């Protein structure tokens, strides 16, 4: 059963300017394993985190650095959640999070489907 969906779109040049103006955003928004990635990849991960919050129906109990987007050997992205963010997902009955990312032509996008047990 689908519990929620979320989508987000990020303007990569604007995101890059923001990151340059406020370098500490890397530490506030991204897990340690994400911080060394290039700007287009960071923008896509930022979009994924925003899309996840939308799929959850809000950000209560969610912390940016507790949401990591990792890649399987095939390149498929997936969430690695920890702390209170993982607890929020569990409390909402979410068993699986589906994620897709893209970046091209100056834009990065993410789409998330939060799936729970069938009724």
């Amino acid at each position: 059963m689908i519990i929620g969906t979320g989508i987000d779109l990020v303007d990569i040049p604007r995101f890059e300017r923001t990151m340059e103006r406020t370098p500490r955003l890397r530490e506030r928004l991204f897990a340690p394993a994400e911080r060394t990635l290039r700007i287009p990849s960071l923008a896509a991960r930022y979009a994924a985190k925003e899309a996840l919050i939308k799929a959850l129906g809000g950000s209560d109990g969610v912390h940016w650095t507790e949401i990591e987007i990792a890649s399987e050997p095939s390149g498929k992205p997936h969430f690695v959640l920890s702390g209170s963010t993982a607890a929020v997902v569990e409390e909402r009955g979410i068993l699986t999070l589906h994620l897709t990312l893209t970046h091209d032509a100056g834009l990065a996008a993410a789409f998330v489907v939060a799936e729970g047990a069938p009724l």
Side-chain angles (χ1 to χ4, degrees), residues 2 17 33 40 43 54 66 68-70 73 83 88 98 109:
I2 294 176
R17 288 190 303 273
K54 292 171 184 174
E66 294 178 349
E68 179 182 340
I69 292 82
V88 165
H98 303 276

Side-chain angles (χ1 to χ4, degrees), residues 88-101:
V88 165
V89 168
E90 184 178 335
E91 288 165 9
R92 296 191 184 163
I94 297 167
L95 301 175
T96 306
L97 290 166
H98 303 276
L99 169 63
T100 188
L101 304 172

Side-chain angles (χ1 to χ4, degrees), residues 66-70 78-82:
E66 294 178 349
I67 306 168
E68 179 182 340
I69 292 82
H78 66 276
F79 288 106
V80 178
L81 305 176
S82 60

Side-chain angles (χ1 to χ4, degrees), residues 24-90:
R24 291 187 52 189
L25 281 179
R26 278 187 196 257
E27 288 77 33
R28 291 178 27 210
L29 298 176
F30 299 102
E34 298 172 311
R35 294 177 189 160
T36 59
L37 297 172
R38 295 178 47 240
I39 288 294
S41 293
L42 286 178
R45 280 159 172 77
Y46 178 83
K49 294 174 188 213
E50 285 282 355
L52 174 62
I53 289 168
K54 292 171 184 174
L56 294 174
S59 62
D60 290 347
V62 175
H63 300 281
W64 289 89
T65 57
E66 294 178 349
I67 306 168
E68 179 182 340
I69 292 82
S71 297
E72 295 177 4
S74 66
K76 179 182 175 186
H78 66 276
F79 288 106
V80 178
L81 305 176
S82 60
S84 63
T85 302
V88 165
V89 168
E90 184 178 335

